[in-house]
């Protein structure tokens, strides 16, 4: 009996040795597919298998699914359920309802929901409270008042630009901020959240904070933000002379160096049409003005800091000089600006740039194996302008190929957006820089853009 047991044990050991020769990657793939009970048994087979099983359990994961079943109850996950548009070749939208559900396991991180409130009285955003609430949550769970990252979703009535100015001032440069500035919000806040009197929800932030009580052996998750632009500057630089705000819209006059007389209303449009040409301007799907702004930023009673921003405002002439051409506010006298139009060329070229950036990232991770460190990309999310959908760039899935081609089989999710948020000093991508003062020009909202949030995880290679 004992002899038979020993022979069986030797037999199973030989099988394990044969399986081990398959390599860790294959074994890890097999073990990760086992049901719970079989997985627990496999963890007891050998020390090496136990190490691999522990690594699987402590590794981050991202899973995503999409459904267009109209009977499904729409719920909030990491990404809000949104109304989607499938674009036909004649660019006419056909509305369909769908839900994207993205679920993640992020060891070493805490996830929290912080709302931004809008006062119903003067209709002002409670941005200072929003920033201080984020700082309070981050400080409670990490060593810093700045979170590792923020996914920000605002409703379509919210002017997100002043919010992005405050967050740029308030948080460390290491804090990524991505999201959609024109969402349909659907979320559930904690019962302990106190809502100010006479207020409504204007936006919500999904915070990722480093866990101060992170268990030993859990390596930090890293986030990589990459941006594809979708607009091109046209015409000369103008300068705002006077501004008159009407609710959420703006009338202004402007001038340019070679013409001393001010332009206003439709006269600005006529001037840019003469400079650029009607065929180019009218062929564009959207027109914006990119305004370079110097603004004093602070939170509460903190000392103010002068910061540089490049912000886009939708330019919508309506054929009536009495009506404002800009459907937003925040433009001041003295601000220089240029016209920008949606353009496929920068969208195509910068998407290819991201493909090569991800290729370099993959190569760097492969080289780390020589240093006995394993780095893996475990997921990615894209926020892509709905105007770039369909066949706008030649293929409906063009926004996906930079990630999917470099990391096949890795979870990749995303959504079409109305206002693409990506924090960074991206002014140079639009031809804007302040070399004279050596100052960063922050550009956080990107029309006709596509932003990629790539998530990676670093861990030591288990000893065999």
């Amino acid at each position: 009996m004992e002899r038979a047991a020993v022979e069986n044990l030797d037999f199973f050991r030989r099988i394990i040795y044969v399986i081990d020769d398959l390599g860790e990657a294959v074994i890890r793939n097999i073990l990760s597919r086992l049901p719970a009970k079989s997985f627990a048994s496999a963890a007891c087979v050998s020390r090496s298998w136990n190490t691999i099983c522990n690594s699987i359990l402590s590794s981050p994961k991202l899973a995503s699914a999409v459904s267009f079943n109209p009977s499904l109850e729409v719920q909030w996950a990491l990404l809000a359920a949104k109304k989607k548009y499938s674009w036909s070749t004649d660019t006419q939208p056909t509305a369909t309802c769908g839900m994207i559900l993205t679920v993640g396991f992020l060891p070493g991180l805490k996830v929290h929901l912080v709302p931004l409130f809008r006062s119903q009285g003067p209709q002002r955003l409670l941005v200072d409270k929003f920033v201080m609430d984020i700082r309070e949550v981050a400080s409670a769970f990490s060593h810093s008042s700045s979170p590792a990252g923020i996914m920000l979703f605002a409703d379509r009535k919210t002017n997100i630009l002043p919010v992005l100015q405050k967050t740029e001032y308030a948080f460390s440069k290491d804090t990524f901020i991505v999201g959609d500035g024109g969402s349909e919000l659907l979320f559930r806040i904690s019962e302990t959240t106190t809502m100010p009197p006479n207020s409504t929800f204007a936006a919500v932030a999904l915070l990722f904070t480093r866990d101060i009580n992170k268990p030993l052996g859990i390596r930090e998750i890293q986030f990589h933000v990459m941006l594809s632009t979708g607009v091109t500057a046209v015409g000369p630089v103008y300068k705002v002379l006077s501004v008159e705000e009407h609710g959420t819209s703006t009338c202004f006059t402007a001038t340019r160096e070679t013409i001393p007389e001010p332009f206003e209303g439709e006269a600005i449009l006529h001037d840019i049409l003469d400079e650029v040409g009607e065929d180019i301007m009218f062929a564009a799907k959207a027109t914006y003005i990119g305004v370079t702004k110097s603004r004093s930023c602070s939170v509460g009673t903190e000392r103010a800091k002068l910061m540089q921003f490049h912000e886009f405002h939708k330019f919508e002439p309506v054929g009536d000089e009495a009506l404002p051409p800009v459907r937003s506010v925040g433009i001041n006298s003295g601000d220089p600006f240029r016209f920008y139009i949606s353009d496929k060329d920068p969208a195509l070229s910068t998407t290819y740039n991201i493909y090569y950036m991800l290729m370099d990232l993959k190569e760097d991770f492969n080289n780390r194996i020589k240093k006995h460190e394993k780095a893996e990309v475990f997921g990615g999310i894209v926020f892509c302008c709905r105007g770039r959908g369909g066949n706008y760039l030649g293929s409906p899935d063009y926004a996906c190929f930079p990630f999917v081609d470099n990391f096949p089989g890795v979870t990749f999710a995303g959504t079409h957006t109305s206002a693409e948020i990506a924090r960074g000093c991206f002014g140079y991508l639009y031809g804007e820089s302040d070399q004279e003062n050596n100052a960063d020009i922050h550009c956080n909202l990107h029309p006709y853009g596509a932003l990629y949030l790539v998530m990676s995880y670093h861990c030591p290679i288990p000893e065999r």
Side-chain angles (χ1 to χ4, degrees):
M1 189 86 138
E2 292 181 1
R3 182 178 178 181
V6 171
E7 290 177 352
N8 287 336
L9 181 60
D10 290 339
F11 173 75
F12 283 114
R13 282 175 176 171
R14 287 195 296 271
I15 293 179
I16 292 171
Y17 292 148
V18 172
I19 294 176
D20 283 347
D21 289 339
L22 296 175
E24 181 194 329
V26 175
I27 297 173
R28 182 186 180 94
N29 193 348
I30 295 172
L31 295 179
S32 65
R33 297 170 185 268
L34 294 177
K37 289 185 178 180
S38 299
F39 183 87
S41 298
C44 302
V45 168
S46 68
R47 182 174 298 177
S48 62
W49 283 28
N50 182 269
T51 301
I52 294 173
C53 288
N54 285 334
S55 175
I56 292 172
L57 291 176
S58 61
S59 297
K61 299 172 182 64
L62 194 72
S64 185
V66 62
S67 173
F68 295 97
N69 187 335
S71 66
L72 287 177
E73 181 180 359
V74 181
Q75 299 177 354
W76 170 266
L78 289 183
L79 297 176
K82 302 169 69 63
K83 179 175 284 188
K84 300 291 186 300
Y85 289 95
S86 56
W87 294 87
S88 58
T89 54
D90 61 358
T91 71
Q92 295 298 319
T94 302
T96 58
C97 292
M99 182 180 73
I100 294 176
L101 180 65
T102 303
V103 180
F105 170 61
L106 306 176
L109 291 177
K110 293 286 188 179
V111 182
H112 313 271
L113 212 59
V114 176
L116 167 65
F117 298 102
R118 179 191 294 112
S119 173
Q120 291 183 345
Q123 286 292 309
R124 65 184 183 89
L125 297 174
L126 305 182
V127 185
D128 283 12
K129 172 178 170 51
F130 179 62
V131 169
M132 290 187 285
D133 286 347
I134 293 176
R135 284 176 171 175
E136 182 180 350
V137 171
S139 299
F141 294 94
S142 69
H143 293 285
S144 173
S145 60
S146 293
I150 300 173
M151 282 190 184
L152 181 59
F153 300 92
D155 69 23
R156 295 175 182 176
K157 298 179 182 179
T158 300
N159 180 10
I160 200 64
L161 291 176
V163 181
L164 296 176
Q165 290 181 6
K166 291 273 190 177
T167 54
E168 186 63 58
Y169 162 87
F171 301 120
S172 163
K173 291 183 178 180
D174 295 330
T175 299
F176 77 82
I177 302 177
V178 298
D180 183 8
S183 304
E184 295 179 7
L185 299 181
L186 181 67
F187 60 93
R188 184 176 64 185
I189 61 174
S190 169
E191 295 179 356
T192 60
T193 301
T194 302
M195 190 168 182
N198 300 318
S199 65
T200 58
F201 294 109
V204 62
L206 192 65
L207 307 187
F208 299 86
T209 60
R210 304 287 181 190
D211 187 1
I212 197 173
N213 297 315
K214 180 181 68 175
L216 294 176
I218 300 295
R219 296 299 182 93
E220 286 192 354
I221 294 172
Q222 293 187 355
F223 300 93
H224 316 265
V225 177
M226 303 172 186
L227 173 67
S228 169
T229 61
V231 293
T232 295
V234 293
V237 176
Y238 296 84
K239 191 172 186 178
V240 177
L241 287 181
S242 63
V243 176
E244 185 178 347
E245 294 183 354
H246 299 270
T248 58
S249 301
T250 302
C251 290
F252 63 90
T253 62
T255 187
R256 47 184 285 204
E257 289 185 359
T258 56
I259 302 178
E261 292 81 9
F263 301 97
E264 55 183 290
E266 288 289 296
I268 299 176
L269 178 61
H270 293 157
D271 183 68
I272 193 65
L273 289 176
D274 291 340
E275 287 287 333
V276 179
E278 293 186 6
D279 54 338
I280 295 178
M281 292 295 292
F282 290 145
K285 295 179 69 175
T287 304
Y288 306 85
I289 59 171
V291 186
T292 303
K293 307 176 181 180
S294 295
R295 299 292 186 265
S296 180
C297 299
S298 65
V299 174
T301 59
E302 296 175 5
R303 183 177 180 179
K305 178 182 179 182
L306 187 64
M307 305 183 71
Q308 302 285 328
F309 298 94
H310 188 67
E311 298 179 341
F312 291 94
H313 298 260
K314 188 74 175 292
F315 187 82
E316 300 182 30
V318 292
D320 187 341
E321 294 187 15
L323 294 177
V326 176
R327 299 292 187 264
S328 56
V329 296
I331 302 172
N332 291 350
S333 299
D335 288 342
F337 70 91
R338 294 185 71 181
F339 280 87
Y340 290 79
I341 57 174
S342 56
D343 190 351
K344 297 179 183 179
D345 288 343
L348 291 167
S349 62
T350 53
T351 302
Y352 263 103
N353 289 344
I354 291 175
Y355 170 80
Y356 290 116
M357 291 167 66
L358 291 175
M359 181 183 293
D360 291 341
L361 183 67
K362 180 174 64 174
E363 183 178 354
D364 175 58
F365 285 2
N366 291 335
N367 290 335
R368 294 193 184 197
I369 296 178
K370 301 176 183 178
K371 302 177 182 179
H372 300 285
E373 181 182 359
K374 189 174 183 179
E376 292 183 349
V377 168
F378 67 89
I381 297 176
V382 63
F383 297 85
C384 182
C385 175
R386 66 176 70 250
R388 291 170 61 143
N391 294 319
Y392 178 69
L393 297 179
S395 172
D397 58 354
Y398 191 84
C400 302
F401 97 86
F403 186 93
V404 173
D405 282 16
N406 279 293
F407 305 104
V410 178
T411 299
F412 185 63
T415 181
H416 282 145
T417 53
S418 299
E420 299 72 56
I421 299 170
R423 182 193 189 193
C425 298
F426 292 121
Y428 71 94
L429 290 176
Y430 303 101
E432 299 295 328
S433 63
D434 190 359
Q435 298 178 351
E436 181 179 347
N437 299 315
N438 193 29
D440 293 330
I441 295 185
H442 307 281
C443 186
N444 300 327
L445 196 65
H446 309 276
Y448 262 76
L451 63 100
Y452 296 76
L453 177 65
V454 179
M455 293 164 276
S456 63
Y457 181 71
H458 302 253
C459 60
I461 298 178
E463 295 183 2
R464 297 288 299 275

